[in-house]
Amino acid sequence: MTARTEDAIPPNPPAVARDSYQGHYAGFVSRFLSFVVDMIVITAIFLLVLAAIWFSAKILTGTNIAFNHGSIWVLIGYVIWAFIYFARSWGANGRTAGMALFGVQVVRDDGGDVSERRAALRTLVFPLSFLFLGLGFLGIVLGNHRRALHDVIAGTTVIYCWDARAARLRYLSRN
Amino acid sequence: MGERLAPPLEARAQAVAARAVELVVSSLDVNALVDRIDLNAVLSQIDINALMDRIDIGKILDRVDMDTVLDRIDLDRVLSRVDMNRLMATVDVKALVERVDVNDVAQQVDVDGIIRKVDIDAIVDRVDLNEAAQRIDVDELVEKTDLGAIIARSSSGFAGDLLDVIRGKAVAVDDFIARAVARLRHRPYTGPPGPPGPRRPDVSPPDQLPPAGPASGEPNARTPS
């Protein structure tokens, strides 16, 4: 329970919230926006870690480490960090931070939970969908099951996991 | 002498008369005679009411063994010949109902006894609760009950509302794109299906689900988040 001021006006209700889409295949926009948020989170954390390393090195050793954005080591570090972020998040509960924000979740194509192994495979093949101008993502828009290329290879899919109906009830209860 | 002769003569005369009647009767065509009688004219002269007044119906009925009579009646055969529709058409049901004292009837009904005999579980099994739930006007329900206050107390605050809105907008755009794509492909849009398994807490309304495929249909209980 959270304290709310009486004059706080809730925003407009979710447009599609009359029927809960929970458990249905997630669309392109929800998935893309969650990916954007994930990239922001990944980059922000990575930059923070680099800054922490730079600061620690300067304090402890007095040396000034200059991180070059074009450095191969920085790039490798970034890719490894991104792999850990996605693989661990999907393997743990099927959601990254961005996916949690937009209420989507990775599941097996039969609806079951994604294992660590499958999550790692999905992360590995994820870049394939970006090839040929992102042709691998076309399946999300055109396919009946809204699966991208990496989904098909890893045997996964993405679903909505938030209850729009409950959101609608919450909105109604405040008006 | 006359007294001595009388009995033989009388006996002979009776024998002759009997013989003559016998000859007349045997020569009569009764059917032809009956045909010549105008029964309607005869009956019109009979005072039926006076005749009936003289008949003691009660006495007659006392002599009738009703059980035996009823045993001999084939009720199935009788009922099979009855046109129930025609019979019911003649019944003024409204007048009949108006004459029934419903309160009196209800007081005589052993409601507890009836309820004891009802298998509630069997009835509930036959009810499609999902379909019933779809008919509920949630907006009106929340407005008219304290349900809204309960939900408000148990749910998140402004940030949660904002999150709901962001998610809702994203889903709305997803839906819009899906409809546009369906229109371009000249296919009817049936809403986003989902994979099978324990993800969906509800069965979506019929206009939101595809008729076939692995994603359609299964009701699920577990919520993923």
PDB file of all heavy atoms in Angstrom, chain B residues 165-198:
ATOM      1  N   VAL B 165      -0.031   2.686 -17.782  1.00  0.00           N
ATOM      2  CA  VAL B 165      -0.342   3.483 -18.974  1.00  0.00           C
ATOM      3  C   VAL B 165       0.693   3.247 -20.063  1.00  0.00           C
ATOM      4  O   VAL B 165       0.350   3.048 -21.235  1.00  0.00           O
ATOM      5  CB  VAL B 165      -0.405   4.977 -18.600  1.00  0.00           C
ATOM      6  CG1 VAL B 165      -0.506   5.833 -19.850  1.00  0.00           C
ATOM      7  CG2 VAL B 165      -1.599   5.235 -17.712  1.00  0.00           C
ATOM      8  N   ILE B 166       1.973   3.238 -19.657  1.00  0.00           N
ATOM      9  CA  ILE B 166       3.043   3.021 -20.652  1.00  0.00           C
ATOM     10  C   ILE B 166       2.868   1.659 -21.314  1.00  0.00           C
ATOM     11  O   ILE B 166       2.917   1.523 -22.538  1.00  0.00           O
ATOM     12  CB  ILE B 166       4.425   3.126 -19.970  1.00  0.00           C
ATOM     13  CG1 ILE B 166       4.680   4.567 -19.519  1.00  0.00           C
ATOM     14  CG2 ILE B 166       5.529   2.669 -20.907  1.00  0.00           C
ATOM     15  CD1 ILE B 166       5.881   4.721 -18.614  1.00  0.00           C
ATOM     16  N   ARG B 167       2.631   0.662 -20.496  1.00  0.00           N
ATOM     17  CA  ARG B 167       2.436  -0.694 -21.034  1.00  0.00           C
ATOM     18  C   ARG B 167       1.201  -0.738 -21.933  1.00  0.00           C
ATOM     19  O   ARG B 167       1.210  -1.338 -23.014  1.00  0.00           O
ATOM     20  CB  ARG B 167       2.261  -1.692 -19.888  1.00  0.00           C
ATOM     21  CG  ARG B 167       3.535  -1.946 -19.119  1.00  0.00           C
ATOM     22  CD  ARG B 167       3.249  -2.735 -17.873  1.00  0.00           C
ATOM     23  NE  ARG B 167       4.457  -3.198 -17.218  1.00  0.00           N
ATOM     24  CZ  ARG B 167       4.461  -3.874 -16.082  1.00  0.00           C
ATOM     25  NH1 ARG B 167       3.329  -4.161 -15.468  1.00  0.00           N
ATOM     26  NH2 ARG B 167       5.593  -4.275 -15.549  1.00  0.00           N
ATOM     27  N   GLY B 168       0.138  -0.091 -21.447  1.00  0.00           N
ATOM     28  CA  GLY B 168      -1.108  -0.085 -22.225  1.00  0.00           C
ATOM     29  C   GLY B 168      -0.928   0.568 -23.583  1.00  0.00           C
ATOM     30  O   GLY B 168      -1.444   0.082 -24.591  1.00  0.00           O
ATOM     31  N   LYS B 169      -0.181   1.681 -23.601  1.00  0.00           N
ATOM     32  CA  LYS B 169       0.064   2.377 -24.872  1.00  0.00           C
ATOM     33  C   LYS B 169       0.856   1.470 -25.816  1.00  0.00           C
ATOM     34  O   LYS B 169       0.565   1.398 -27.019  1.00  0.00           O
ATOM     35  CB  LYS B 169       0.841   3.671 -24.629  1.00  0.00           C
ATOM     36  CG  LYS B 169       0.091   4.713 -23.820  1.00  0.00           C
ATOM     37  CD  LYS B 169      -1.015   5.355 -24.622  1.00  0.00           C
ATOM     38  CE  LYS B 169      -1.703   6.441 -23.790  1.00  0.00           C
ATOM     39  NZ  LYS B 169      -2.954   6.890 -24.410  1.00  0.00           N
ATOM     40  N   ALA B 170       1.869   0.806 -25.263  1.00  0.00           N
ATOM     41  CA  ALA B 170       2.702  -0.082 -26.091  1.00  0.00           C
ATOM     42  C   ALA B 170       1.855  -1.208 -26.685  1.00  0.00           C
ATOM     43  O   ALA B 170       1.957  -1.526 -27.879  1.00  0.00           O
ATOM     44  CB  ALA B 170       3.842  -0.648 -25.259  1.00  0.00           C
ATOM     45  N   VAL B 171       1.009  -1.782 -25.842  1.00  0.00           N
ATOM     46  CA  VAL B 171       0.147  -2.873 -26.318  1.00  0.00           C
ATOM     47  C   VAL B 171      -0.830  -2.349 -27.368  1.00  0.00           C
ATOM     48  O   VAL B 171      -1.121  -3.022 -28.358  1.00  0.00           O
ATOM     49  CB  VAL B 171      -0.618  -3.526 -25.138  1.00  0.00           C
ATOM     50  CG1 VAL B 171      -1.590  -4.576 -25.654  1.00  0.00           C
ATOM     51  CG2 VAL B 171       0.354  -4.154 -24.167  1.00  0.00           C
ATOM     52  N   ALA B 172      -1.317  -1.121 -27.155  1.00  0.00           N
ATOM     53  CA  ALA B 172      -2.258  -0.539 -28.124  1.00  0.00           C
ATOM     54  C   ALA B 172      -1.593  -0.362 -29.487  1.00  0.00           C
ATOM     55  O   ALA B 172      -2.196  -0.642 -30.523  1.00  0.00           O
ATOM     56  CB  ALA B 172      -2.764   0.800 -27.603  1.00  0.00           C
ATOM     57  N   VAL B 173      -0.325   0.092 -29.468  1.00  0.00           N
ATOM     58  CA  VAL B 173       0.390   0.263 -30.744  1.00  0.00           C
ATOM     59  C   VAL B 173       0.652  -1.108 -31.367  1.00  0.00           C
ATOM     60  O   VAL B 173       0.525  -1.280 -32.595  1.00  0.00           O
ATOM     61  CB  VAL B 173       1.705   1.047 -30.520  1.00  0.00           C
ATOM     62  CG1 VAL B 173       2.468   1.192 -31.826  1.00  0.00           C
ATOM     63  CG2 VAL B 173       1.422   2.414 -29.931  1.00  0.00           C
ATOM     64  N   ASP B 174       1.010  -2.079 -30.527  1.00  0.00           N
ATOM     65  CA  ASP B 174       1.174  -3.455 -31.034  1.00  0.00           C
ATOM     66  C   ASP B 174      -0.093  -3.911 -31.755  1.00  0.00           C
ATOM     67  O   ASP B 174      -0.054  -4.494 -32.835  1.00  0.00           O
ATOM     68  CB  ASP B 174       1.447  -4.419 -29.870  1.00  0.00           C
ATOM     69  CG  ASP B 174       2.854  -4.275 -29.327  1.00  0.00           C
ATOM     70  OD1 ASP B 174       3.712  -3.759 -30.051  1.00  0.00           O
ATOM     71  OD2 ASP B 174       3.075  -4.692 -28.173  1.00  0.00           O
ATOM     72  N   ASP B 175      -1.195  -3.652 -31.101  1.00  0.00           N
ATOM     73  CA  ASP B 175      -2.490  -4.063 -31.637  1.00  0.00           C
ATOM     74  C   ASP B 175      -2.776  -3.349 -32.961  1.00  0.00           C
ATOM     75  O   ASP B 175      -3.261  -3.961 -33.916  1.00  0.00           O
ATOM     76  CB  ASP B 175      -3.575  -3.724 -30.608  1.00  0.00           C
ATOM     77  CG  ASP B 175      -4.664  -4.766 -30.572  1.00  0.00           C
ATOM     78  OD1 ASP B 175      -4.335  -5.963 -30.694  1.00  0.00           O
ATOM     79  OD2 ASP B 175      -5.833  -4.385 -30.429  1.00  0.00           O
ATOM     80  N   PHE B 176      -2.468  -2.058 -32.968  1.00  0.00           N
ATOM     81  CA  PHE B 176      -2.700  -1.259 -34.178  1.00  0.00           C
ATOM     82  C   PHE B 176      -1.890  -1.812 -35.351  1.00  0.00           C
ATOM     83  O   PHE B 176      -2.413  -1.991 -36.460  1.00  0.00           O
ATOM     84  CB  PHE B 176      -2.327   0.202 -33.897  1.00  0.00           C
ATOM     85  CG  PHE B 176      -2.395   1.086 -35.109  1.00  0.00           C
ATOM     86  CD1 PHE B 176      -3.608   1.562 -35.585  1.00  0.00           C
ATOM     87  CD2 PHE B 176      -1.232   1.443 -35.787  1.00  0.00           C
ATOM     88  CE1 PHE B 176      -3.666   2.366 -36.704  1.00  0.00           C
ATOM     89  CE2 PHE B 176      -1.286   2.246 -36.909  1.00  0.00           C
ATOM     90  CZ  PHE B 176      -2.503   2.715 -37.369  1.00  0.00           C
ATOM     91  N   ILE B 177      -0.604  -2.103 -35.065  1.00  0.00           N
ATOM     92  CA  ILE B 177       0.262  -2.640 -36.128  1.00  0.00           C
ATOM     93  C   ILE B 177      -0.268  -3.994 -36.608  1.00  0.00           C
ATOM     94  O   ILE B 177      -0.327  -4.269 -37.811  1.00  0.00           O
ATOM     95  CB  ILE B 177       1.714  -2.765 -35.610  1.00  0.00           C
ATOM     96  CG1 ILE B 177       2.305  -1.370 -35.397  1.00  0.00           C
ATOM     97  CG2 ILE B 177       2.578  -3.563 -36.584  1.00  0.00           C
ATOM     98  CD1 ILE B 177       3.650  -1.373 -34.711  1.00  0.00           C
ATOM     99  N   ALA B 178      -0.659  -4.809 -35.660  1.00  0.00           N
ATOM    100  CA  ALA B 178      -1.156  -6.145 -36.019  1.00  0.00           C
ATOM    101  C   ALA B 178      -2.407  -6.050 -36.894  1.00  0.00           C
ATOM    102  O   ALA B 178      -2.565  -6.802 -37.862  1.00  0.00           O
ATOM    103  CB  ALA B 178      -1.453  -6.934 -34.755  1.00  0.00           C
ATOM    104  N   ARG B 179      -3.274  -5.094 -36.564  1.00  0.00           N
ATOM    105  CA  ARG B 179      -4.497  -4.908 -37.366  1.00  0.00           C
ATOM    106  C   ARG B 179      -4.147  -4.420 -38.772  1.00  0.00           C
ATOM    107  O   ARG B 179      -4.738  -4.856 -39.764  1.00  0.00           O
ATOM    108  CB  ARG B 179      -5.432  -3.896 -36.688  1.00  0.00           C
ATOM    109  CG  ARG B 179      -6.150  -4.459 -35.493  1.00  0.00           C
ATOM    110  CD  ARG B 179      -7.024  -3.411 -34.814  1.00  0.00           C
ATOM    111  NE  ARG B 179      -7.421  -3.857 -33.498  1.00  0.00           N
ATOM    112  CZ  ARG B 179      -8.400  -4.706 -33.250  1.00  0.00           C
ATOM    113  NH1 ARG B 179      -9.078  -5.203 -34.263  1.00  0.00           N
ATOM    114  NH2 ARG B 179      -8.704  -5.076 -32.022  1.00  0.00           N
ATOM    115  N   ALA B 180      -3.186  -3.482 -38.824  1.00  0.00           N
ATOM    116  CA  ALA B 180      -2.781  -2.943 -40.124  1.00  0.00           C
ATOM    117  C   ALA B 180      -2.177  -4.046 -40.995  1.00  0.00           C
ATOM    118  O   ALA B 180      -2.485  -4.151 -42.188  1.00  0.00           O
ATOM    119  CB  ALA B 180      -1.781  -1.813 -39.909  1.00  0.00           C
ATOM    120  N   VAL B 181      -1.329  -4.862 -40.378  1.00  0.00           N
ATOM    121  CA  VAL B 181      -0.704  -5.966 -41.126  1.00  0.00           C
ATOM    122  C   VAL B 181      -1.766  -6.956 -41.595  1.00  0.00           C
ATOM    123  O   VAL B 181      -1.748  -7.423 -42.743  1.00  0.00           O
ATOM    124  CB  VAL B 181       0.356  -6.669 -40.249  1.00  0.00           C
ATOM    125  CG1 VAL B 181       0.820  -7.963 -40.904  1.00  0.00           C
ATOM    126  CG2 VAL B 181       1.533  -5.753 -40.003  1.00  0.00           C
ATOM    127  N   ALA B 182      -2.705  -7.240 -40.725  1.00  0.00           N
ATOM    128  CA  ALA B 182      -3.779  -8.174 -41.092  1.00  0.00           C
ATOM    129  C   ALA B 182      -4.589  -7.633 -42.264  1.00  0.00           C
ATOM    130  O   ALA B 182      -4.983  -8.374 -43.165  1.00  0.00           O
ATOM    131  CB  ALA B 182      -4.675  -8.417 -39.889  1.00  0.00           C
ATOM    132  N   ARG B 183      -4.799  -6.305 -42.241  1.00  0.00           N
ATOM    133  CA  ARG B 183      -5.563  -5.679 -43.324  1.00  0.00           C
ATOM    134  C   ARG B 183      -4.791  -5.775 -44.643  1.00  0.00           C
ATOM    135  O   ARG B 183      -5.368  -6.047 -45.686  1.00  0.00           O
ATOM    136  CB  ARG B 183      -5.851  -4.219 -42.977  1.00  0.00           C
ATOM    137  CG  ARG B 183      -7.090  -3.662 -43.676  1.00  0.00           C
ATOM    138  CD  ARG B 183      -7.442  -2.269 -43.190  1.00  0.00           C
ATOM    139  NE  ARG B 183      -7.791  -2.229 -41.789  1.00  0.00           N
ATOM    140  CZ  ARG B 183      -7.224  -1.441 -40.890  1.00  0.00           C
ATOM    141  NH1 ARG B 183      -6.291  -0.598 -41.239  1.00  0.00           N
ATOM    142  NH2 ARG B 183      -7.614  -1.460 -39.635  1.00  0.00           N
ATOM    143  N   LEU B 184      -3.472  -5.533 -44.550  1.00  0.00           N
ATOM    144  CA  LEU B 184      -2.640  -5.617 -45.757  1.00  0.00           C
ATOM    145  C   LEU B 184      -2.618  -7.036 -46.317  1.00  0.00           C
ATOM    146  O   LEU B 184      -2.546  -7.240 -47.526  1.00  0.00           O
ATOM    147  CB  LEU B 184      -1.215  -5.157 -45.426  1.00  0.00           C
ATOM    148  CG  LEU B 184      -1.026  -3.643 -45.253  1.00  0.00           C
ATOM    149  CD1 LEU B 184       0.383  -3.347 -44.754  1.00  0.00           C
ATOM    150  CD2 LEU B 184      -1.267  -2.921 -46.583  1.00  0.00           C
ATOM    151  N   ARG B 185      -2.656  -7.994 -45.406  1.00  0.00           N
ATOM    152  CA  ARG B 185      -2.610  -9.397 -45.848  1.00  0.00           C
ATOM    153  C   ARG B 185      -4.000  -9.945 -46.153  1.00  0.00           C
ATOM    154  O   ARG B 185      -4.159 -11.131 -46.436  1.00  0.00           O
ATOM    155  CB  ARG B 185      -1.945 -10.252 -44.770  1.00  0.00           C
ATOM    156  CG  ARG B 185      -0.487  -9.874 -44.544  1.00  0.00           C
ATOM    157  CD  ARG B 185       0.076 -10.552 -43.329  1.00  0.00           C
ATOM    158  NE  ARG B 185       0.296 -11.967 -43.553  1.00  0.00           N
ATOM    159  CZ  ARG B 185       0.678 -12.819 -42.609  1.00  0.00           C
ATOM    160  NH1 ARG B 185       0.868 -12.399 -41.375  1.00  0.00           N
ATOM    161  NH2 ARG B 185       0.863 -14.073 -42.890  1.00  0.00           N
ATOM    162  N   HIS B 186      -5.005  -9.086 -46.054  1.00  0.00           N
ATOM    163  CA  HIS B 186      -6.400  -9.495 -46.304  1.00  0.00           C
ATOM    164  C   HIS B 186      -6.795 -10.681 -45.434  1.00  0.00           C
ATOM    165  O   HIS B 186      -7.415 -11.642 -45.897  1.00  0.00           O
ATOM    166  CB  HIS B 186      -6.610  -9.827 -47.793  1.00  0.00           C
ATOM    167  CG  HIS B 186      -6.295  -8.685 -48.695  1.00  0.00           C
ATOM    168  ND1 HIS B 186      -7.095  -7.570 -48.788  1.00  0.00           N
ATOM    169  CD2 HIS B 186      -5.252  -8.465 -49.528  1.00  0.00           C
ATOM    170  CE1 HIS B 186      -6.578  -6.722 -49.650  1.00  0.00           C
ATOM    171  NE2 HIS B 186      -5.440  -7.233 -50.104  1.00  0.00           N
ATOM    172  N   ARG B 187      -6.402 -10.585 -44.181  1.00  0.00           N
ATOM    173  CA  ARG B 187      -6.774 -11.641 -43.221  1.00  0.00           C
ATOM    174  C   ARG B 187      -7.499 -10.998 -42.047  1.00  0.00           C
ATOM    175  O   ARG B 187      -7.162  -9.889 -41.641  1.00  0.00           O
ATOM    176  CB  ARG B 187      -5.526 -12.355 -42.698  1.00  0.00           C
ATOM    177  CG  ARG B 187      -4.870 -13.254 -43.724  1.00  0.00           C
ATOM    178  CD  ARG B 187      -3.723 -13.996 -43.102  1.00  0.00           C
ATOM    179  NE  ARG B 187      -3.048 -14.849 -44.059  1.00  0.00           N
ATOM    180  CZ  ARG B 187      -1.992 -15.579 -43.784  1.00  0.00           C
ATOM    181  NH1 ARG B 187      -1.485 -15.564 -42.559  1.00  0.00           N
ATOM    182  NH2 ARG B 187      -1.428 -16.333 -44.690  1.00  0.00           N
ATOM    183  N   PRO B 188      -8.479 -11.679 -41.507  1.00  0.00           N
ATOM    184  CA  PRO B 188      -9.169 -11.108 -40.346  1.00  0.00           C
ATOM    185  C   PRO B 188      -8.258 -11.106 -39.126  1.00  0.00           C
ATOM    186  O   PRO B 188      -7.551 -12.089 -38.871  1.00  0.00           O
ATOM    187  CB  PRO B 188     -10.364 -12.049 -40.140  1.00  0.00           C
ATOM    188  CG  PRO B 188      -9.945 -13.329 -40.774  1.00  0.00           C
ATOM    189  CD  PRO B 188      -9.015 -12.977 -41.895  1.00  0.00           C
ATOM    190  N   TYR B 189      -8.282 -10.013 -38.389  1.00  0.00           N
ATOM    191  CA  TYR B 189      -7.450  -9.934 -37.179  1.00  0.00           C
ATOM    192  C   TYR B 189      -8.216 -10.541 -36.011  1.00  0.00           C
ATOM    193  O   TYR B 189      -9.318 -10.095 -35.675  1.00  0.00           O
ATOM    194  CB  TYR B 189      -7.099  -8.487 -36.878  1.00  0.00           C
ATOM    195  CG  TYR B 189      -6.299  -8.335 -35.598  1.00  0.00           C
ATOM    196  CD1 TYR B 189      -5.035  -8.886 -35.500  1.00  0.00           C
ATOM    197  CD2 TYR B 189      -6.817  -7.655 -34.503  1.00  0.00           C
ATOM    198  CE1 TYR B 189      -4.297  -8.758 -34.337  1.00  0.00           C
ATOM    199  CE2 TYR B 189      -6.079  -7.521 -33.340  1.00  0.00           C
ATOM    200  CZ  TYR B 189      -4.814  -8.072 -33.267  1.00  0.00           C
ATOM    201  OH  TYR B 189      -4.093  -7.955 -32.111  1.00  0.00           O
ATOM    202  N   THR B 190      -7.626 -11.535 -35.397  1.00  0.00           N
ATOM    203  CA  THR B 190      -8.315 -12.245 -34.305  1.00  0.00           C
ATOM    204  C   THR B 190      -7.669 -11.968 -32.963  1.00  0.00           C
ATOM    205  O   THR B 190      -7.974 -12.639 -31.986  1.00  0.00           O
ATOM    206  CB  THR B 190      -8.296 -13.755 -34.567  1.00  0.00           C
ATOM    207  OG1 THR B 190      -6.939 -14.152 -34.801  1.00  0.00           O
ATOM    208  CG2 THR B 190      -9.162 -14.118 -35.748  1.00  0.00           C
ATOM    209  N   GLY B 191      -6.785 -10.984 -32.907  1.00  0.00           N
ATOM    210  CA  GLY B 191      -6.129 -10.671 -31.637  1.00  0.00           C
ATOM    211  C   GLY B 191      -4.882 -11.506 -31.471  1.00  0.00           C
ATOM    212  O   GLY B 191      -4.678 -12.490 -32.179  1.00  0.00           O
ATOM    213  N   PRO B 192      -4.039 -11.103 -30.542  1.00  0.00           N
ATOM    214  CA  PRO B 192      -2.792 -11.851 -30.360  1.00  0.00           C
ATOM    215  C   PRO B 192      -3.044 -13.175 -29.648  1.00  0.00           C
ATOM    216  O   PRO B 192      -3.576 -13.183 -28.543  1.00  0.00           O
ATOM    217  CB  PRO B 192      -1.963 -10.910 -29.478  1.00  0.00           C
ATOM    218  CG  PRO B 192      -2.962 -10.107 -28.741  1.00  0.00           C
ATOM    219  CD  PRO B 192      -4.165  -9.983 -29.617  1.00  0.00           C
ATOM    220  N   PRO B 193      -2.704 -14.268 -30.291  1.00  0.00           N
ATOM    221  CA  PRO B 193      -2.821 -15.540 -29.585  1.00  0.00           C
ATOM    222  C   PRO B 193      -1.664 -15.686 -28.603  1.00  0.00           C
ATOM    223  O   PRO B 193      -0.835 -14.791 -28.481  1.00  0.00           O
ATOM    224  CB  PRO B 193      -2.721 -16.569 -30.711  1.00  0.00           C
ATOM    225  CG  PRO B 193      -1.887 -15.887 -31.741  1.00  0.00           C
ATOM    226  CD  PRO B 193      -2.170 -14.427 -31.635  1.00  0.00           C
ATOM    227  N   GLY B 194      -1.598 -16.787 -27.928  1.00  0.00           N
ATOM    228  CA  GLY B 194      -0.498 -17.020 -26.999  1.00  0.00           C
ATOM    229  C   GLY B 194      -0.095 -18.470 -27.032  1.00  0.00           C
ATOM    230  O   GLY B 194      -0.828 -19.322 -27.539  1.00  0.00           O
ATOM    231  N   PRO B 195       1.074 -18.765 -26.519  1.00  0.00           N
ATOM    232  CA  PRO B 195       1.517 -20.158 -26.495  1.00  0.00           C
ATOM    233  C   PRO B 195       0.708 -20.951 -25.484  1.00  0.00           C
ATOM    234  O   PRO B 195       0.126 -20.369 -24.566  1.00  0.00           O
ATOM    235  CB  PRO B 195       2.977 -20.046 -26.059  1.00  0.00           C
ATOM    236  CG  PRO B 195       3.025 -18.787 -25.268  1.00  0.00           C
ATOM    237  CD  PRO B 195       2.024 -17.869 -25.880  1.00  0.00           C
ATOM    238  N   PRO B 196       0.660 -22.256 -25.639  1.00  0.00           N
ATOM    239  CA  PRO B 196      -0.019 -23.050 -24.617  1.00  0.00           C
ATOM    240  C   PRO B 196       0.775 -23.009 -23.321  1.00  0.00           C
ATOM    241  O   PRO B 196       1.892 -22.511 -23.287  1.00  0.00           O
ATOM    242  CB  PRO B 196      -0.024 -24.450 -25.220  1.00  0.00           C
ATOM    243  CG  PRO B 196       1.137 -24.459 -26.149  1.00  0.00           C
ATOM    244  CD  PRO B 196       1.265 -23.069 -26.683  1.00  0.00           C
ATOM    245  N   GLY B 197       0.192 -23.553 -22.298  1.00  0.00           N
ATOM    246  CA  GLY B 197       0.926 -23.591 -21.037  1.00  0.00           C
ATOM    247  C   GLY B 197       0.304 -22.704 -19.987  1.00  0.00           C
ATOM    248  O   GLY B 197      -0.716 -22.064 -20.222  1.00  0.00           O
ATOM    249  N   PRO B 198       0.947 -22.653 -18.832  1.00  0.00           N
ATOM    250  CA  PRO B 198       0.314 -22.026 -17.658  1.00  0.00           C
ATOM    251  C   PRO B 198       0.560 -20.528 -17.580  1.00  0.00           C
ATOM    252  O   PRO B 198       0.913 -20.014 -16.544  1.00  0.00           O
ATOM    253  CB  PRO B 198       0.999 -22.747 -16.509  1.00  0.00           C
ATOM    254  CG  PRO B 198       2.378 -23.005 -17.018  1.00  0.00           C
ATOM    255  CD  PRO B 198       2.245 -23.235 -18.493  1.00  0.00           C
TER     256      PRO B 198
END
